Amino acid sequence: AAARVEGLGKSPEVAAADQALAELEWQRKEAKKVEVKRGKLRKEVESLTGMKDDKVNATLLKAALVKAQAVLGNSQEDAALLTAAQVKLEAAAWFALPLADRLEKASLEFGREACSPPADRGKWACQKISDKEMLKRSRAIGEASCNHPTLRDGDQAEKPPLQNALPSETAKNFCRYPPPFDLRESEDGRGFRSAQFEFPEKLFNLTAIQEEDFGELAVVNLDMNLFRSNIATCGEFWLIEFYVHWCPHCMSVMPKFYKLAVALRSMGAKLRIGAVNCATQKELCGAFRVIGHPLAAFFYPAGGNPSGQVQLFEYAGKDVRVNTALNYLKAHRNPAWDAGLPEGMEPQRHLFPVEATNDLIRLLPEEYRPTDAVMRWLGNASSAGAGVVCPEKRPWHDAAKKRPQSAAEGRGSVQNGSDTEDKEDEEEKKEEGAEGDEP
């Protein structure tokens, strides 16, 4: 530089000025190069960001984004572009995954969101309670049902609104779950006698069944409060029966429904059982649009939200297999179930006769139903059915001292038999028990 200055004969001051100008020109050219580079990167990033998620080359976008993050400025426009590119890169990476991996990740993400507690639980959020508390409330609901005016003594008793209703002495045994005894067909084939509940040892864990409170928790007596706060918004899978205690048909199927519930609970099945006495729980039965008895409905919601909104007739639980099976049942409902429906009334497709329960449960995944052997035993464990019970009042028997007495001639409650019948009953009981053990 000194040589050039001497050669040109410029003064040091002029030379310094020229050098400063040259430095500024170099900086200007470098800045222009950077701006051109930034412009190209912007266009590249904007082009890739503007493509559809499933068409973007994630590798190219990632390389462009890394370069852009190094050279782009801190302007608002550049910051927005980088943010959009990052979102697009995540979407492109998602679509680059195999379909099976995408489904797995989506399922896990849904599970984390659905299972995490909401910030504001709200009034009607799921309130899990212990088995002890559930049993306490179920008992209280059952006691309230058994205090219905049709079950009271003396002048306080009301007449049931059913022509062939059995007297209160009999109905008192069927006003709540669990029923006090099983029913077996009487010798003359025109009624039923009481019998102890028996479960084959090779099909059931008898030790578990005999535990205290086991049977009472097999079927939970429900009212609107228990259903609304502890069931409706919790996302569990339930099968709910709707009955009235004065209905002979309801009485006949109650022991069979109870045995199904015991089988489910003893095997740890993921299907819970509840029951609603519509004589006292009109609000809950009305919510399910119950138009007859005994009927049943599957209830498998997605779980409620803090506002308390619950879909009673839609299946949106976490297990898609169950939803598919239940929707199939609803779509292929047996038209015979709606025979006798009043003219102009639409069939309630979510409801079905309790007698059909065993057949319908067979369509559920294995973890929601008993084994095939137990299902066969349940199908043979009771002969009580609509054709035997409904047409007229039937005699009720017990193995004790007095002769059988029909509902028409006496109180209609479980009566006593003779000593001779005791022995016959015991022999028949042994034979039936042996048959019941056959898978």
Side-chain angles (χ1 to χ4, degrees):
R4 287 200 301 272
V5 171
E6 290 176 1
L8 294 173
K10 293 181 180 180
S11 65
E13 292 81 5
V14 173
D18 288 343
Q19 188 173 356
L21 289 172
E23 184 70 22
L24 288 173
E25 181 64 18
W26 178 83
Q27 291 178 357
R28 186 185 66 78
K29 289 180 180 180
E30 289 297 316
K32 188 175 180 179
K33 290 179 182 178
V34 171
E35 191 56 40
V36 170
K37 187 177 181 179
R38 283 178 179 172
K40 288 182 178 179
L41 278 172
R42 283 194 190 97
K43 287 183 179 180
E44 185 180 0
V45 173
E46 286 173 352
S47 175
L48 292 170
T49 304
M51 297 175 68
K52 291 184 178 180
D53 294 347
D54 57 342
K55 302 296 183 183
V56 179
N57 187 317
T59 304
L60 292 178
L61 179 56
K62 184 176 182 180
L65 182 59
V66 171
K67 293 177 183 178
Q69 288 171 336
V71 300
L72 289 186
N74 296 322
S75 68
Q76 230 173 359
E77 292 181 358
D78 286 347
L81 178 61
L82 292 174
T83 301
Q86 185 64 45
V87 171
K88 181 63 67 172
L89 178 61
E90 292 174 359
W94 169 259
F95 278 98
L97 292 172
L99 180 59
D101 291 348
R102 275 186 274 159
L103 290 174
E104 179 68 17
K105 286 179 177 290
S107 177
L108 292 173
E109 184 63 25
F110 171 79
R112 282 192 293 270
E113 291 178 2
C115 295
S116 60
D120 180 12
R121 293 185 63 83
K123 181 180 179 182
W124 293 114
C126 173
Q127 301 172 25
K128 288 285 188 180
I129 58 176
S130 64
D131 284 349
K132 184 177 180 180
E133 180 63 21
M134 182 73 81
L135 177 60
K136 179 181 176 182
R137 295 181 65 176
S138 176
R139 284 173 174 170
I141 294 166
E143 289 172 5
S145 295
C146 291
N147 193 36
H148 189 267
T150 58
L151 299 175
R152 293 173 186 167
D153 298 326
D155 298 336
Q156 294 182 341
E158 293 183 6
K159 188 176 180 180
L162 185 66
Q163 187 176 2
N164 68 331
L166 291 172
S168 62
E169 287 81 358
T170 297
K172 284 179 180 178
N173 294 302
F174 303 96
C175 55
R176 62 182 172 189
Y177 275 89
F181 45 73
D182 195 3
L183 295 176
R184 297 186 184 274
E185 191 170 351
S186 61
E187 292 78 1
D188 60 9
R190 291 181 51 82
F192 297 96
R193 61 180 175 81
S194 63
Q196 288 185 342
F197 283 104
E198 295 180 346
F199 298 93
E201 186 175 359
K202 62 182 180 182
L203 297 180
F204 290 84
N205 182 350
L206 299 186
T207 303
I209 292 177
Q210 292 166 1
E211 288 180 3
E212 186 180 5
D213 305 333
F214 181 93
E216 286 191 85
L217 280 169
V219 182
V220 179
N221 297 294
L222 301 177
D223 65 0
M224 180 58 87
N225 287 334
L226 180 57
F227 177 81
R228 197 71 181 83
S229 60
N230 306 108
I231 294 174
T233 55
C234 293
E236 290 184 306
F237 186 23
W238 284 77
L239 171 61
I240 303 175
E241 181 200 12
F242 302 92
Y243 69 100
V244 287
H245 53 260
W246 57 69
C247 163
H249 190 181
C250 299
M251 299 177 191
S252 71
V253 299
M254 182 179 277
K256 191 170 184 178
F257 192 70
Y258 172 68
K259 285 184 277 193
L260 168 64
V262 170
L264 288 167
R265 181 169 174 78
S266 67
M267 296 178 181
K270 294 182 180 180
L271 175 60
R272 300 200 65 175
I273 303 292
V276 183
N277 188 337
C278 293
T280 56
Q281 308 302 330
K282 293 182 174 64
E283 186 181 7
L284 184 52
C285 293
F288 274 90
R289 301 176 187 172
V290 176
I291 56 176
H293 311 95
L295 292 175
F298 287 110
F299 179 69
Y300 192 40
N305 54 48
S307 67
Q309 296 176 349
V310 177
Q311 295 294 330
L312 296 179
F313 314 133
E314 301 298 327
Y315 310 122
K318 293 179 181 178
D319 194 328
V320 177
R321 299 171 303 161
V322 174
N323 299 333
T324 302
L326 297 181
N327 284 319
Y328 176 87
L329 293 176
K330 203 158 67 167
H332 297 81
R333 196 171 182 278
N334 189 345
W337 295 345
D338 301 314
L341 194 68
E343 186 177 353
M345 182 176 288
E346 290 292 326
Q348 301 301 314
R349 306 192 70 82
H350 62 286
L351 295 169
F352 56 88
V354 173
E355 305 96 303
T357 301
N358 287 358
D359 291 333
L360 299 184
I361 282 181
R362 292 177 190 273
L363 299 179
L364 297 175
E366 290 184 2
E367 60 266 40
Y368 295 91
R369 58 179 173 83
T371 63
D372 290 340
V374 173
M375 291 301 297
R376 286 193 292 271
W377 176 81
L378 287 169
N380 298 324
S382 173
S383 58
V388 181
V389 178
C390 280
E392 57 180 287
K393 295 177 182 178
R394 302 298 184 182
W396 296 78
H397 306 269
D398 195 8
K401 297 181 180 179
K402 298 181 181 179
R403 70 178 182 84
Q405 188 176 25
S406 71
E409 12 173 20
R411 296 181 301 166
S413 60
V414 178
Q415 301 295 328
N416 297 324
S418 65
D419 293 336
T420 303
E421 290 172 343
D422 269 354
K423 296 177 182 178
E424 293 174 354
D425 289 340
E426 288 177 5
E427 292 176 1
E428 182 179 347
K429 187 175 178 182
K430 290 179 182 177
E431 292 175 2
E432 291 176 353
E435 292 174 1
D437 285 346
E438 293 293 332

